[in-house]
Amino acid sequence: MSRIAYVNGSYVPLREASVHVEDRGYQFADGVYEVVALRGNRLVDAQGHFDRLWRSMNELSIDPPMTEQAMRLVIDQLVRRNRLPNALIYIQVTRGVAARDFKFPKANPAGSESALVITVRPAKLDHSQQLRDGVRVVTTPDLRWKRRDIKSVALLPQVLAKQKAAEAGAFEAWMVDDDGFITEGSSSNAWILTRDAKLITRQATNMILKGVTRTSLLRFAEEQGITIEERAFTPDEAYQAVEAFVSSATTFLL
Ligand code: PMP
């Protein structure tokens, strides 16, 4: 069965799904995105992802292409049409199609010109073997801009970081800032548990993406009475730690 994507108002077979060559997402990475896990036909942490998507759009003055309620209905339709109980939902909003000019295109009085693409990809969300065996991580300099709190589609530094990890046979790359502190993984947040049982993850400022899974894990840890420190840590501290792990919507916790 062909996978179905949603592109600017239409449900289309994935192989026919396409966007305009002058889409600003394509030309300028002028767009934002979210990845939401679907487990057993249920969206995980959906509200957190919608809230962050709206925040990302707002920070970049991108008009929402529709209401959150309408987007939930589109996703519901896509999930039905794709019949994949375990999947990753990819949502991308760009500033739309316009003649190539850095400045924002003039607002369309008829309504939003933002472009919306949503795809559903089958995913093996069972990571039990990796959980048992552990995964390898390399470090790499963090080459990104200073608004990492926005989930922008400008991902070239993360592409390079993940490629470096893959070439080293590792699962993830932890990016290191100019002061020698780990910021986060190329597509995950970074955590350690110290010998004195403190759970450490970097504070959510503009220097990292505030992971939705991170927020949930912090809540669980608090409920368990675990001591939490939201602060930056170094690769050396990670070596000294009793545990080190990553979190994201795709991996949950590894
Ligand atoms: N940091 C970065 C840079 C990411 O790309 C991701 C994945 N979206 C995360 C952290 C984890 O965020 P979440 O738990 O919301 O998936």
Side-chain angles (χ1 to χ4, degrees), residues 54-65:
W54 256 259
R55 179 182 183 279
S56 293
M57 289 189 285
N58 190 48
E59 290 297 312
L60 298 177
S61 304
I62 293 175
D63 290 331

Side-chain angles (χ1 to χ4, degrees), residues 33-36 45 48-49 52 144 148 151 155 158 172 175 184-190 208-215 247-252:
Y33 75 108
E34 279 296 327
V35 178
V36 191
D45 284 335
H49 289 284
R52 189 173 60 189
R144 296 176 299 165
R148 303 163 186 171
K151 200 163 168 62
L155 291 169
Q158 287 99 311
E172 180 59 297
M175 299 179 287
E184 59 188 329
S186 64
S187 61
S188 58
N189 288 115
I208 65 162
L209 185 76
K210 186 178 181 182
V212 174
T213 318
R214 173 189 180 281
T215 300
S247 70
S248 72
T250 314
T251 58
F252 187 43

Side-chain angles (χ1 to χ4, degrees), residues 61 99 126 136 142 157 166 173 182-183 192 199 201-202 211 223 252:
S61 304
D126 171 14
R136 282 155 51 83
D142 196 328
I182 290 159
T183 51
I192 54 171
L199 186 61
T201 195
R202 191 162 174 138
E223 283 167 11
F252 187 43

Side-chain angles (χ1 to χ4, degrees), residues 118-131:
I118 308 179
T119 59
V120 181
R121 187 175 94 194
K124 193 181 122 301
L125 297 171
D126 171 14
H127 298 285
S128 45
Q129 190 176 337
Q130 285 167 312
L131 276 171

